[in-house]
Amino acid sequence: MSIPQSLLEQSIQINIQQALQEDIGDGDITAMLTPADEQATATIISREEMVLAGQPWVNALIQAYDNTVQITWLKQEGDVVAANEAFLKLAGSARSLLTVERPALNFIQTLSAVATKTASYVKQLDGLHTKLLDTRKTLPGLRIAQKYAVAVGGGQNHRLGLFDAFLIKENHIMAAGGIAQAITKAHEIAPGKPVEVEVETWDELNQALEAGADIVMLDNFSQQQMIDAVKHVAGRCKLEASGNITIENLREVATTGVDYISMGVLTKDVRAVDLSMRFNA
């Protein structure tokens, strides 16, 4: 799935307003140590190699705070930035540059971390048709931002939330009275929206297939079981592998022929990229 532009823009505005409010409150008292009329230029570098992501958030945040600040990107979204390489220059009020530094870098360090990790995982799938998906295991408040970063890193988005696709799991199946009943009800509730069912056994796979699921998630299936499932399904629905998948066995799982592999690690276990901003003499 792709993120609708309207939702992306709305999320950016919410994110940057929250970031500015939590950091600045009723004023940046430390920046006031600098003369109000002092102008400055600053360079932002990455201390480690990364895939750059987050430009729309940085642009919107800086413009919202002080639209006179000049923003010059030396790298484009999705570019690889080498260790100790400059990727952004800012020019304008020294006070403004000091104030926006941390909230701006917070977006870049987090979203670039997601894009960088995603790119390293996607690389494992070179030459195979399997696509890498994210999950809903995201940082609170940054769902759309992190899924955007996954796409920048070469991955694909699973459903954005609980509103744009069905993912029927064990508890849903029990509450609905069975797999077939759940799928039928899903088509009645929201015709045209994707219906995915998580299965743990061969029998559940057959039930989901016969009931017309669009996608079946094979939860913790063995390598051989996934190979057999791909042959059995024979393109009648899409197959997604999930559970106990790491970067070490990612390619092995993909060689089974599944259409998708979903991994929460892309967004929930990210380590921020080390960035630095320095005023120019």
Side-chain angles (χ1 to χ4, degrees):
M1 295 185 180
S2 58
I3 303 170
Q5 187 62 30
S6 59
L7 179 58
L8 181 63
E9 293 174 357
Q10 179 186 53
S11 297
I12 291 171
Q13 289 304 314
I14 292 172
N15 291 158
I16 67 168
Q17 292 303 324
Q18 290 178 331
L20 290 170
Q21 179 56 42
E22 71 182 2
D23 206 32
I24 300 172
D26 58 2
D28 180 354
I29 56 177
T30 312
M32 293 180 186
L33 299 172
T34 304
D37 60 352
E38 183 173 342
Q39 298 292 298
T41 60
T43 301
I44 294 87
I45 67 171
S46 177
R47 296 297 186 186
E48 55 191 300
E49 184 177 296
M50 72 173 191
V51 175
L52 177 60
Q55 287 185 343
W57 278 260
V58 172
N59 290 339
L61 183 142
I62 294 175
Q63 290 300 297
Y65 184 74
D66 182 352
N67 62 14
T68 67
V69 171
Q70 296 178 11
I71 305 169
T72 303
W73 291 100
L74 306 178
K75 291 284 189 174
Q76 297 307 307
E77 199 81 327
D79 284 352
V80 174
V81 179
N84 299 313
E85 183 178 13
F87 63 89
L88 173 61
K89 288 189 175 181
L90 303 174
S93 162
R95 284 189 177 183
S96 293
L97 300 190
L98 291 167
T99 298
V100 301
E101 173 188 2
R102 179 42 49 200
L105 295 194
N106 281 350
F107 283 117
I108 291 289
Q109 72 183 22
T110 302
L111 301 189
S112 294
V114 172
T116 303
K117 173 171 278 191
T118 300
S120 70
Y121 279 61
V122 168
K123 187 176 181 179
Q124 301 300 314
L125 303 178
D126 283 351
L128 302 177
H129 89 281
T130 305
K131 304 302 181 185
L132 185 64
L133 302 178
D134 53 26
T135 72
R136 287 169 50 238
K137 296 175 182 176
T138 52
L139 300 178
L142 290 177
R143 166 71 56 78
I144 299 302
Q146 286 194 288
K147 283 182 171 284
Y148 165 91
V150 165
V152 170
Q156 293 188 7
N157 300 142
H158 206 288
R159 58 179 181 163
L160 302 178
L162 300 174
F163 55 88
D164 57 335
F166 291 92
L167 179 46
I168 301 170
K169 298 189 177 185
E170 181 181 6
N171 289 334
H172 301 108
I173 293 169
M174 291 181 63
I179 290 177
Q181 293 91 326
I183 293 175
T184 298
K185 188 66 174 178
H187 286 308
E188 293 174 355
I189 292 171
K193 291 201 172 181
V195 178
E196 180 171 0
V197 181
E198 180 182 72
V199 303
E200 299 178 351
T201 67
W202 194 264
D203 179 58
E204 290 178 346
L205 168 60
N206 279 326
Q207 291 181 51
L209 190 60
E210 292 169 7
D214 299 304
I215 308 171
V216 174
M217 178 188 291
L218 306 175
D219 184 34
N220 289 307
F221 272 42
S222 70
Q223 185 80 2
Q224 188 58 53
Q225 286 175 321
M226 285 188 281
I227 292 172
D228 293 341
V230 170
K231 292 179 180 178
H232 178 64
V233 168
R236 287 178 286 173
C237 73
K238 298 292 186 180
L239 289 177
E240 175 184 334
S242 181
N244 294 319
I245 302 172
T246 66
I247 193 168
E248 287 77 20
N249 68 0
L250 177 59
R251 186 172 183 85
E252 180 184 7
V253 172
T255 60
T256 64
V258 293
D259 300 285
Y260 306 112
I261 295 175
S262 57
M263 302 184 72
V265 69
L266 301 179
T267 51
K268 73 183 181 70
D269 294 335
V270 294
R271 179 188 63 79
V273 176
D274 186 9
L275 307 177
S276 179
M277 184 177 92
R278 291 289 181 267
F279 271 32
N280 301 318

